[in-house]
Amino acid sequence: MSNRIYIVGIGPGREEMMTGEAIAALEQADVIVGYTVYVKLLGERFAGKKLLTTPMRQETERCELCFREAEAGKRVALICSGDAGIYGLASLMYELGEEHLQTELIVIPGITAASSGAAVLGAPLNHDFCAISLSDLLTPWEKIEKRLRAAAMGDFAMAIYNPSSHRRKDYLQRACDILLETIEGERPCGYVENIGREGTRAVTCTLRELRDRKVNMFTTVFIGNSETEILRDKLITKRGYHVENNIH
Amino acid sequence: MSNRIYIVGIGPGREEMMTGEAIAALEQADVIVGYTVYVKLLGERFAGKKLLTTPMRQETERCELCFREAEAGKRVALICSGDAGIYGLASLMYELGEEHLQTELIVIPGITAASSGAAVLGAPLNHDFCAISLSDLLTPWEKIEKRLRAAAMGDFAMAIYNPSSHRRKDYLQRACDILLETIEGERPCGYVENIGREGTRAVTCTLRELRDRKVNMFTTVFIGNSETEILRDKLITKRGYHVENNIH
């Protein structure tokens, strides 16, 4: 297979939070394709490259651009914030790739907001957890509600992506109301704004307080499970009880 | 606060899959503490450091060792495979840290097996997903069953950690039987052995086939959701339908 496209998760933005193989994939690329904001995050280091950007909501065009460049013989890296395979473009590339079977696709994982946000807040996902996006652009809201209820029923810790946008100001409140059907209002929660970027801000609160917080679109929200506590103003989900010499 | 301990996620093992800040935290450390196998994974690069290891199941001792070294004035890095905050030691460090409030704790995120394994398999977690561990050392099996049922009910894609061990050879089979109560046997699934290490091997199969596969303890298992397909022998979870100009 001659052509190859690297689908690269660049993490939250700061280069120190990229992996060595992600940096190598960008360094070897002739063309770097991405959403305008993320290409800007890369800064000077890759200034020598041909940078192609498309605005938000034009993901299909962005992916097709990658195939066109690769099939013209260019070494292409498509960048996604966080992890390319978690709410990123990896699966859309494979779907569109059915029309481009001569082009090899290689996914390079990155630090997703669940990991980077959790590290700032302490350890809110240190046991079984769910990642749920509140964006209903690609998912019916009824399905998002169903997943929130299932996550609460399973006593999962949760990382909530896309909690808000200019079009969806009340979605976090709606999500909290669904969780409050089964989870106590005092449940420890938290959120992190601008993870790994200028102005990172971590806040702990209760689920009832979270319901009335205004968060921006660069925020990731964390819901504790029944064993989560706030220690040192950090959100800490315990690993569960310890059974010595537990034999099965 | 004078003392400081870095709790560092080193990813699956290969240095190219560590972040720059993780490498920097190990480089600045006087003492690197970890489970024997992971300290060995680091290889020659940190050979100059004082390396302290404890065997598996001695996590509390390992954490206390970090506090002792830090309070003796050493710069300490505690390493965890994958992400320190996802089935790692970050939360236990915060719990034990209640007795060591003069020691600051800093979590450095790493690439967890959900991300690194997904990249090898294609894009199995490219929508809402759950991470569930089948280890019942710290969690009653009944709770694990409850979470598997909740994840299936919510139509989550799943990353299953610790699917097997010498003590728990049939746990993956038991988990698949629970999922098969509500998920069709043809559901696309997959698993990855030795992610980011010698002998990485990715396999796609159906849920019914997965039930009877023997996997080792260095395997991460992936369960598709209702929109997951196998394309190019990769496990691809679609991002959902596209609604143009979706207004709310």
Side-chain angles (χ1 to χ4, degrees), chain A residues 14-241:
Chain A
R14 277 173 33 233
E15 186 177 318
E16 315 87 83
M17 295 184 76
M18 291 176 67
T19 66
E21 65 175 5
I23 290 170
L26 297 187
E27 281 175 337
Q28 61 83 46
D30 303 309
V31 183
I32 297 175
V33 180
Y35 169 45
T36 317
V37 172
Y38 303 142
V39 170
K40 289 210 182 95
L41 280 176
L42 290 178
E44 290 313 299
R45 178 169 182 146
F46 304 102
K49 309 286 184 179
K50 180 177 178 186
L51 303 176
L52 298 177
T53 68
T54 68
M56 204 152 36
R57 303 261 216 119
Q58 292 188 21
E59 288 80 9
T60 302
E61 296 76 356
R62 198 177 308 153
C63 293
E64 293 291 4
L65 194 56
C66 295
F67 287 110
R68 277 202 300 280
E69 292 285 329
E71 285 155 20
K74 297 288 194 303
R75 289 168 299 185
V76 178
L78 170 63
I79 60 170
C80 305
S81 72
D83 184 332
I86 296 178
Y87 304 116
L89 291 176
S91 66
L92 184 56
M93 285 294 288
Y94 274 99
E95 288 182 58
L96 299 171
E98 291 298 280
E99 304 300 317
H100 304 273
L101 291 175
Q102 72 282 21
T103 301
E104 185 181 10
L105 302 176
I106 296 171
V107 180
I108 309 263
I111 301 285
T112 185
S115 289
S116 54
V120 177
L121 266 174
L125 303 182
N126 218 145
H127 204 306
D128 303 329
F129 71 94
C130 296
I132 302 176
S133 168
L134 297 190
S135 170
D136 59 357
L137 271 180
L138 301 173
T139 309
W141 177 256
E142 299 63 35
K143 186 155 204 172
I144 296 169
E145 287 195 352
K146 178 181 166 186
R147 286 182 171 151
L148 289 164
R149 289 193 172 91
M153 181 177 322
D155 190 28
F156 284 96
M158 301 174 217
I160 296 187
Y161 288 66
N162 306 310
S164 174
S165 82
H166 60 288
R167 289 175 30 265
R168 302 180 283 106
K169 293 197 185 311
D170 67 331
Y171 278 27
L172 178 59
Q173 187 171 75
R174 290 163 64 180
C176 289
D177 285 337
I178 289 160
L179 297 177
L180 284 164
E181 294 168 3
T182 49
I183 298 175
E184 74 281 3
E186 297 311 303
R187 176 68 55 93
C189 296
Y191 53 94
V192 186
E193 295 172 355
N194 304 312
I195 300 165
R197 304 180 192 176
E198 193 86 4
T200 301
R201 177 167 165 263
V203 178
T204 58
C205 60
T206 66
L207 179 56
R208 187 178 298 109
E209 291 166 340
L210 179 65
R211 179 194 182 278
D212 297 313
R213 297 292 167 95
K214 294 277 161 278
V215 301
N216 66 32
M217 64 185 297
F218 302 107
T219 303
T220 307
V221 171
F222 295 82
I223 311 292
N225 71 12
S226 59
E227 296 181 286
T228 304
E229 296 182 8
I230 293 176
L231 303 173
R232 304 185 184 200
D233 198 32
K234 299 284 189 179
L235 192 63
I236 308 302
T237 295
K238 300 199 171 167
R239 302 164 72 226
Y241 65 72

Side-chain angles (χ1 to χ4, degrees), chain B residues 200-219:
Chain B
T200 300
R201 177 167 166 261
V203 177
T204 59
C205 60
T206 66
L207 179 56
R208 188 179 294 108
E209 290 166 340
L210 179 66
R211 178 193 182 278
D212 298 314
R213 296 293 167 95
K214 293 277 162 279
V215 301
N216 65 31
M217 63 185 296
F218 302 107
T219 303

Side-chain angles (χ1 to χ4, degrees), chain B residues 136-151:
Chain B
D136 59 358
L137 271 181
L138 301 174
T139 309
W141 177 257
E142 300 63 36
K143 186 153 203 173
I144 296 168
E145 287 196 353
K146 179 181 167 185
R147 285 181 172 152
L148 289 165
R149 289 194 171 92

Side-chain angles (χ1 to χ4, degrees), chain B residues 20 48 67 104 130 132 148 151 175 192 210 237 247:
Chain B
F67 287 110
E104 184 181 13
C130 297
I132 301 175
L148 289 165
V192 186
L210 179 66
T237 295
I247 305 303

